[in-house]
Amino acid sequence: MAFNTIIVSFLILFTFTTIAIAATLAPPSVCQDTPYPSVCQASLPINNSSANIHDYGRLSIRKSISSATKFANLIDKYLTASDLTPGAINALKDCQYLARVNIDFLTSTFNSINTTQTPLSDTKSEDMQTMLSAILTNTETCIDGLKANAASWTSKNGVVGPIENDNKLYSVSLALFNKGWGRTKKNKKFGFSHKGFKNGKLPPFKMSQESKSVLETVGRRKLLQSNGAGQQVVISKVVVVRQDGSGNFTTITDAVNFAPNKSAASAGYFVVYVTAGVYEEYVNIPSNKRYLMMIGDGINQTVITGNHSVVDGWTTFNSATFIVTAPYFVAVNITIRNTAGSIKHQAVALRNGADLSTFYSCSFEGYQDTLYTHSLRQFYRECDIYGTVDFIFGNAAVVFQNCNLYPRLPMSGQFNAITAQGRTDPGQNTGTSIQKCNIRAADDLASSNGNTVTYLGRPWKEYSRTVYMQSYMDTLITPAGWSIWSGDFALNTSYYAEFNNSGPGSDTSRRVSWSYVINATDAANFTVSSFIAGDAFLPQTGVPYDGGL
């Protein structure tokens, strides 16, 4: 069935459902715990005095689907306007894509809660909360892009106001979902470790004879080594990218296009082995290429590079050299660069909106906005990240573990901020967790005159949340630790915390008053097992991780 037919059918059903509901306001008791009680009460009319939180939650999701669909159609209409600037076109195209993602996420959530009033399983509940959190992030990304790239056109056409109103409804939906179907807390087995790969090498694969032959042809002994723990990664097929034409493909994009669509977990990973070389291409791994694993020959050996930037007309969202939205994506032994330089301002190397994605032994190189952890759940292990201003930013639930963070020398007059976390709603399960990492100056910063100030982060959005745990901080970290964004914005609503860090930059005695030093109980909430459900998806990847502190 065509997408438009599905939406029309849904809207007809929704219209008749709404007509059948008497126009009485939702009781204040249901709405008082949402961020926008007045929006909640005005949007959710039910005449049944026995209606409960689940009834209101379902109605809220239905109305959110209707709003998201209207918005998507509105963006399609705007894109036909004759007075569009190039910046407006680019920003609207980002909004068009994000609106379709929101409809998919809302529909999936509604299907999961439509027939049950009992609590969902922890796994299902967290999946739904993750999608509803991403919907707010997607809409906020659209708004930011329009304001940054099409301010005059947006103001003239009154585009942003309706989108912001929609986002308030999505926020109400998230709050009602969390109250009605939110996961129940349970004791995690903190401290669990998974050995996985050893020294950047893969454990033995469980594979077909055809795939085994391919690996043997390209040098299986070099690529795959047992870690002695008997781990296996299940794969369906291996293809080789080699620039000299002796592999299956000469470009990464062609290999990704060849990968199967909507693979099931039982089929295993489709492996794209990218041999050493510098690949000047923009890679996009869409959401239908799930369970794709990309393996290179090592950091600075397999290099993917581009130079798109905001100064050159791209939106931040689409300036990335490498984009991935495919669930369960895994990358190993690859460098991803944006070489636009600090003078081009926002220029993303990796934009990741892939749920339950993993990067192991990879490098991300750029200046401002290097690594865009846009949304959903992500894990990075033993990676190197280089940048200057806000070089790890976004609104995913993300854990960096055993990584190296390298602040670089910024432009004259700039300071470094390692993180700019973008949480906009207290109900979102998002935040940046940096655990057992090393923070040292990159070579250019280390050899400079030492006047650059480097902060742990600053509050990009109102409920920004970042935690540093068990990490080494060198002398480059300023004693205040954290920077403001603008005035007192978000200082009372952000959550910036540190736990058991080491090194000369870890002294918390002179930190800003709006940051926290937390204990092990609080820190455990931001571990791999608890924060990103790592025990559910990481073992199958073969990537090592520590589940707890």
Side-chain angles (χ1 to χ4, degrees), residues 420-469:
Q421 207 283 325
R423 187 165 168 256
T424 60
D425 189 286
Q428 289 177 305
N429 61 350
T430 55
T432 298
S433 174
I434 296 173
Q435 183 188 20
K436 300 180 182 178
C437 294
N438 293 300
I439 306 167
R440 293 183 170 91
D443 290 345
D444 59 351
L445 180 60
S447 61
S448 67
N449 58 21
N451 292 331
T452 299
V453 177
T454 299
Y455 296 98
L456 297 172
R458 57 180 184 151
W460 180 28
K461 301 293 181 180
E462 188 172 4
Y463 291 91
S464 182
R465 181 161 67 171
T466 302
V467 178
Y468 285 81
M469 310 187 297

Side-chain angles (χ1 to χ4, degrees), residues 490-503:
L491 301 190
N492 294 324
T493 49
S494 294
Y495 184 81
Y496 287 144
E498 299 173 63
F499 168 73
N500 199 25
N501 297 304
S502 62

Side-chain angles (χ1 to χ4, degrees), residues 17 31 40 44 48 70 87 111 118 135 275 280 288 296 319 357 372 417 467 469 493 534:
T17 303
C31 294
C40 175
L44 307 180
N48 186 348
K70 290 177 182 177
N111 290 339
T118 60
I135 288 163
T275 60
E280 297 182 359
N288 61 342
S319 68
S357 55
Y372 196 173
V467 178
M469 310 187 297
T493 49

Side-chain angles (χ1 to χ4, degrees), residues 137-406:
T137 303
N138 291 342
T139 309
E140 191 74 16
T141 301
C142 169
I143 293 169
D144 286 347
L146 289 170
K147 288 180 176 179
N149 299 278
S152 59
W153 184 89
T154 297
S155 176
K156 182 177 68 174
N157 291 278
V159 179
V160 170
I163 308 172
E164 291 178 330
N165 289 334
D166 287 347
N167 227 21
K168 292 178 181 179
L169 177 59
Y170 303 154
S171 182
V172 167
S173 295
L174 174 60
L176 293 176
F177 174 86
N178 286 342
K179 190 171 183 180
W181 291 274
R183 71 169 180 168
T184 57
K185 290 186 177 181
K186 64 179 181 180
N187 294 325
K188 297 280 186 180
K189 295 181 179 179
F190 295 118
F192 173 78
S193 296
H194 182 80
K195 291 183 178 179
F197 301 174
K198 182 179 181 181
N199 299 324
K201 302 299 183 181
L202 289 175
F205 280 133
K206 179 181 179 182
M207 67 188 88
S208 67
Q209 186 59 46
E210 177 190 9
S211 295
K212 186 179 294 185
S213 298
V214 172
L215 285 176
E216 288 170 349
T217 300
V218 302
R220 183 174 184 271
R221 296 175 68 86
K222 177 182 178 182
L223 180 65
L224 306 174
Q225 291 184 3
S226 171
N227 63 5
Q231 302 290 342
Q232 283 193 330
V233 176
V234 179
I235 69 170
S236 59
K237 188 177 180 63
V238 179
V239 297
V240 179
V241 180
R242 197 186 295 274
Q243 290 176 316
D244 64 8
S246 62
N248 303 101
F249 302 97
T250 58
T251 70
I252 299 167
T253 297
D254 285 345
V256 170
N257 291 339
F258 179 77
N261 297 329
K262 299 182 178 179
S263 292
S266 57
Y269 288 99
F270 181 90
V271 175
V272 177
Y273 170 41
V274 186
T275 60
V278 177
Y279 295 81
E280 297 182 359
E281 59 178 298
Y282 295 90
V283 177
N284 189 341
I285 304 177
S287 58
N288 61 342
K289 301 294 183 178
R290 61 183 65 166
Y291 293 102
L292 190 149
M293 179 181 287
M294 187 173 293
I295 304 170
D297 273 331
I299 290 175
N300 293 328
Q301 298 300 310
T302 297
V303 179
I304 305 169
T305 183
N307 62 1
H308 289 169
S309 69
V310 166
V311 169
D312 287 338
W314 299 88
T315 62
T316 300
F317 186 71
N318 258 328
S319 68
T321 301
F322 194 110
I323 297 170
V324 57
T325 55
Y328 302 100
F329 175 78
V330 181
V332 184
N333 294 342
I334 294 172
T335 289
I336 301 172
R337 290 177 181 156
N338 189 313
T339 61
S342 58
I343 197 171
K344 293 299 180 73
H345 296 279
Q346 296 96 329
V348 176
L350 169 70
R351 189 189 91 213
N352 187 357
D355 198 22
L356 306 175
S357 55
T358 306
F359 285 80
Y360 175 56
S361 188
C362 290
S363 178
F364 311 98
E365 301 176 11
Y367 287 85
Q368 183 171 347
D369 291 1
T370 302
L371 177 51
Y372 196 173
T373 57
H374 181 260
S375 55
L376 306 169
R377 293 164 290 188
Q378 309 175 16
F379 179 62
Y380 299 78
R381 170 84 177 203
E382 296 173 34
C383 291
D384 299 336
I385 305 133
Y386 296 82
T388 55
V389 180
D390 307 333
F391 67 91
I392 299 173
F393 76 113
N395 195 25
V398 56
V399 177
F400 295 89
Q401 195 172 82
N402 294 67
C403 293
N404 298 307
L405 312 184
Y406 292 115

Side-chain angles (χ1 to χ4, degrees), residues 2 12 69 78 115 163 198-199 501 514:
I12 291 173
T69 303
Y78 283 140
T115 59
I163 308 172
K198 182 179 181 181
N199 299 324
N501 297 304
W514 36 273

